[in-house]
Amino acid sequence: MKFIRRGKPKKVILLPFLHGPPPLLLLFSPWILGSTFISLVGCSVGPDYKPPKLEVPQNWKWGEQKPDPKGSHSREKPQIEEKKTAWGGNDLQGEENIKRAIEEARKNPGKWKLAAPKDFVKKGQWWKIFNDPVLDQLEAEAEVANQQIKMAMANVIEARAGVGAALSAFFPHTNFTPSYQRWKLKTHLPWLPFILPEPIFSTVPLLGQNGIPIPSGSIIGSTQYYGFQPTLNMWQVYLNSNWELDIWGKLRRQLEAAKAEAQASQAELEGMKLTIHADVAQAYYLLRYIDSQLEVMERMIHVYEDNLKRVEIRFKSGLSNELDLARAKTDLSRIKAQYIALESHRAKVENSIARLLGQPASTFHFPRKPLKEDPPHVPQSLPSDILEQRPDIAQAEREMAATNAMIGVAYAAYFPSVNLNAYFGFFNTDFGQLFTWPSNSWIYGPLIDLPIFEGGRLLANLMQARAAYEKAVASYRETILSAFEEVENALIGMRLLEEEQKVEDEVVASAKKQYDLALDRFQRGLSHYIEVDTTESVWLNAILTDIALRGERFIVRIALIRAFGGGWADSSMKKPSFQQNQSKN
């Protein structure tokens, strides 16, 4: 059923003018039965929504098992490793296995999984794993006071109201319309009876043509009597009802789109909550490791001050030159400048936390709390199905369903629309006679609107709807690819930052020992202050880097939790068995 007609719609109106005052329900009774039958057997034009498929590997490249340095890090093996993950872990070591894998890839190129969002899975208070009461308090305040979360909640309410508006289109719309008008008419209107639904009765005696009196109660405005008063009072009280029949499924497609948009707004709300909670946690640990750096720099300022005193004493004794004194003063001034810059950075992070908590930055103050503990353990061997709980993926999938439904709405515009109209009320020039039996009037009948020529508008709308759906599909797949990228980047950070910090701890110990030896040599007069200057800078930078790595380890864990879409303690997020995977695929 795909006939297309362009052009301006031509309205075919069938309005039987009947006399008598039947109730409004009786007017609609034959149309109610007919429309109910049409709704039951009617079709919905446009494509039915089918979630797209996307290649989903079952394992993480940077999971808990370390990748082979000769495999995944080489220039020739990554593609083989990627196919190995996508094909379920087949052995690809020999040439025969590689040939079999290529043949299998031709028959079934990768494992594709239907979209099955699980954003309804409760994420829980995932920040509890950090076991920090201060963080728990900040997250609770952000939950109720963050303005972005409130805007997302308002969007949910707005979208749900849109569902109610789309649902109301399935019912008749009835209006009560009383009105009063004062008309000024000409004295000769032979066509007046054709434009008035009921004859108008005179309420006072009138003089007609040739001076013949017209008694009160006579009909005026007919072809027999042209002379009547030039002004009239027009009183009307009537009920007007309209009901559009959903023959082609346009209203059903609109309701389908409204429901999908409401679900997408709910997913957007959950995504906003996840983002805000993650931002609060990351800003909190960023602030804490800045506090740790400030604490170290305060101690190092005392060290630089002590060294300056030593150089001054030696300079006064003639054991050091003016160059050593200048270096010591420069070192002290430089670390003080770095301390001030770090305080400025801390203030900006503190202000960002205030905004996330819905508080003015001018009244928010966070006390110093240096970071001492190690980050908690976050599992890295979770199945890739956990990404289905990400709200942004669910939102993209629901937006896809909404745009698909709008294709059906654009299709339905090619077909005639049928509206059932009914009218019942009273009409008279005398308000006292308005509700009398002769003043009643009623009309009912269908109105058919068939597009004939539209100048290409319908085709353009259809092409626009199809393009919007294709864009939504691409956005959905891009969201999933970005999710895998975020998880892999976080896994890389968790593993390599931990290894890097172990090496950096050794650097700190070596730099401290190097500084002690240089200071001892300087105090015994075996070297100049330049050795102390160099080793002291190396030691300070090593300590600051070590603290930054500790803070980054917290932040990257939060990034991994965000990439997973929240918590992972729910039983539905457990890794499924091989048989379950086979049945799903």
Side-chain angles (χ1 to χ4, degrees):
M1 186 161 44
K2 291 184 179 180
F3 57 88
I4 298 176
R5 299 180 181 177
R6 304 179 184 175
K8 184 177 180 181
K10 180 179 179 182
K11 295 184 179 180
V12 181
I13 304 176
L14 300 177
L15 292 175
F17 288 78
L18 304 178
H19 297 279
L24 192 62
L25 181 61
L26 295 179
L27 294 178
F28 263 133
S29 59
W31 307 107
I32 292 176
L33 296 177
S35 61
T36 304
F37 175 76
I38 293 174
S39 300
L40 293 176
V41 301
C43 60
S44 296
V45 296
D48 293 330
Y49 176 67
K50 294 181 180 179
K53 296 180 179 180
L54 188 71
E55 186 176 0
V56 178
Q58 297 297 320
N59 303 316
W60 307 111
K61 183 172 61 176
W62 286 89
E64 291 185 348
Q65 294 183 358
K66 296 183 179 181
D68 185 5
K70 296 181 179 180
S72 60
H73 292 289
S74 64
R75 295 185 178 180
E76 298 179 357
K77 293 294 185 66
Q79 293 183 354
I80 297 179
E81 185 67 24
E82 182 179 354
K83 292 179 180 179
K84 174 181 177 179
T85 303
W87 298 333
N90 296 326
D91 184 15
L92 302 176
Q93 298 301 321
E95 292 184 1
E96 296 297 329
N97 293 330
I98 294 177
K99 292 180 180 179
R100 284 200 302 269
I102 293 176
E103 186 65 25
E104 181 183 352
R106 290 176 178 174
K107 296 179 180 179
N108 184 19
K111 290 184 177 179
W112 294 76
K113 189 176 185 301
L114 288 176
K118 295 180 182 177
D119 54 310
F120 57 86
V121 175
K122 293 183 179 180
K123 315 301 186 300
Q125 298 178 342
W126 51 263
W127 53 88
K128 294 285 188 180
I129 67 169
F130 295 95
N131 195 22
D132 191 330
V134 178
L135 177 62
D136 297 342
Q137 181 181 358
L138 295 178
E139 297 289 2
E141 293 179 7
E143 177 78 21
V144 298
N146 184 267
Q147 300 304 311
Q148 291 178 289
I149 293 179
K150 290 184 178 181
M151 287 189 292
M153 288 181 177
N155 290 335
V156 171
I157 298 174
E158 181 182 5
R160 290 178 178 176
V163 175
L167 188 61
S168 67
F170 289 88
F171 301 94
H173 297 167
T174 303
N175 301 318
F176 174 68
T177 311
S179 68
Y180 165 76
Q181 294 177 341
R182 185 168 178 81
W183 289 8
K184 179 177 178 58
L185 303 176
K186 295 183 178 180
T187 57
H188 298 283
L189 294 177
W191 40 264
L192 185 61
F194 297 98
I195 65 171
L196 297 179
E198 291 289 337
I200 301 176
F201 297 88
S202 64
T203 57
V204 295
L206 301 174
L207 290 178
Q209 293 180 346
N210 302 323
I212 301 175
I214 301 175
S216 175
S218 301
I219 298 177
I220 62 174
S222 64
T223 56
Q224 297 179 357
Y225 301 98
Y226 295 153
F228 53 86
Q229 57 189 21
T231 57
L232 294 176
N233 294 322
M234 195 65 64
W235 301 89
Q236 298 183 67
V237 177
Y238 60 90
L239 294 176
N240 186 20
S241 187
N242 178 62
W243 190 5
E244 182 179 358
L245 301 182
D246 190 24
I247 301 176
W248 316 109
K250 182 184 73 173
L251 302 182
R252 279 168 282 176
R253 293 298 190 192
Q254 290 177 344
L255 179 61
E256 180 183 344
K259 288 181 178 179
E261 290 174 355
Q263 293 170 350
S265 66
Q266 182 66 41
E268 182 184 9
L269 172 61
E270 296 300 325
M272 183 58 65
K273 288 183 178 180
L274 176 63
T275 299
I276 296 301
H277 286 306
D279 289 345
V280 169
Q282 289 182 332
Y284 171 71
Y285 282 108
L286 175 60
L287 194 69
R288 288 191 60 189
Y289 93 66
I290 291 177
D291 290 342
S292 298
Q293 289 181 329
L294 288 173
E295 184 183 43
V296 169
M297 294 185 73
E298 289 174 352
R299 293 199 305 264
M300 293 300 294
I301 287 175
H302 294 302
V303 172
Y304 277 92
E305 289 175 345
D306 294 339
N307 290 339
L308 178 59
K309 292 178 181 179
R310 294 188 183 97
V311 174
E312 288 176 345
I313 293 173
R314 290 176 62 85
F315 177 74
K316 291 178 182 180
S317 303
L319 299 177
S320 294
N321 53 31
E322 190 174 358
L323 181 60
D324 290 341
L325 181 61
R327 284 198 180 100
K329 290 181 179 180
T330 302
D331 291 340
L332 180 59
S333 300
R334 184 176 63 248
I335 191 172
K336 286 183 178 180
Q338 293 176 356
Y339 182 84
I340 295 173
L342 197 57
E343 277 191 325
S344 175
H345 184 37
R346 184 192 188 278
K348 293 178 181 178
V349 176
E350 185 181 65
N351 294 338
S352 67
I353 295 177
R355 177 183 57 82
L356 292 172
L357 300 184
Q359 300 183 21
S362 302
T363 59
F364 181 79
H365 299 283
F366 193 85
R368 292 278 185 90
K369 190 179 181 182
L371 187 61
K372 303 295 184 182
E373 67 271 16
D374 290 326
H377 173 71
V378 176
Q380 306 175 32
S381 59
L382 296 170
S384 61
D385 292 349
I386 193 174
L387 295 183
E388 293 176 348
Q389 72 174 1
R390 282 181 55 127
D392 57 343
I393 293 179
Q395 179 184 355
E397 190 272 334
R398 290 291 81 203
E399 290 175 351
M400 232 181 356
T403 54
N404 181 82
M406 294 308 295
I407 296 178
V409 175
Y411 263 125
Y414 283 101
F415 301 96
S417 61
V418 179
N419 289 268
L420 302 182
N421 295 317
Y423 161 94
F424 177 76
F426 297 92
F427 178 89
N428 205 308
T429 58
D430 185 5
F431 183 78
Q433 302 292 327
L434 179 61
F435 296 100
T436 59
W437 187 264
S439 300
N440 78 86
S441 61
W442 57 271
I443 305 172
Y444 78 93
L447 187 147
I448 302 176
D449 187 354
L450 177 63
I452 301 298
F453 179 75
E454 289 287 334
R457 181 180 65 88
L458 301 182
L459 180 60
N461 291 341
L462 180 58
M463 294 176 62
Q464 185 178 11
R466 286 176 174 174
Y469 174 73
E470 294 297 330
K471 183 173 68 174
V473 172
S475 175
Y476 168 72
R477 295 185 174 181
E478 180 66 20
T479 303
I480 292 183
L481 295 176
S482 299
F484 275 92
E485 179 186 9
E486 292 174 7
V487 171
E488 292 293 350
N489 290 340
L491 291 175
I492 293 173
M494 286 185 60
R495 172 174 299 167
L496 298 186
L497 284 175
E498 185 175 356
E499 296 177 0
E500 186 179 357
Q501 187 168 30
K502 292 179 181 178
V503 177
E504 193 64 30
D505 291 339
E506 299 176 359
V507 173
V508 172
S510 301
K512 177 62 168 60
K513 184 176 181 180
Q514 186 180 7
Y515 166 74
D516 293 339
L517 292 175
L519 182 62
D520 181 66
R521 284 170 53 83
F522 172 72
Q523 290 177 342
R524 290 189 297 169
L526 299 178
S527 64
H528 294 285
Y529 183 75
I530 188 172
E531 290 187 1
V532 179
D533 178 33
T534 304
T535 56
E536 197 172 28
S537 299
V538 173
W539 180 35
L540 174 61
N541 292 332
I543 295 176
L544 296 179
T545 302
D546 186 70
I547 294 174
L549 289 174
R550 183 181 299 273
E552 289 293 335
R553 288 175 61 195
F554 277 90
I555 293 176
V556 78
R557 276 162 171 75
I558 299 170
L560 180 62
I561 295 173
R562 179 192 297 199
F564 281 155
W568 55 86
D570 191 88
S571 59
S572 62
M573 289 292 104
K574 293 181 180 179
K575 190 172 183 178
S577 62
F578 178 77
Q579 289 79 7
Q580 290 176 343
N581 281 336
Q582 289 297 103
S583 62
K584 289 182 180 179
N585 293 325

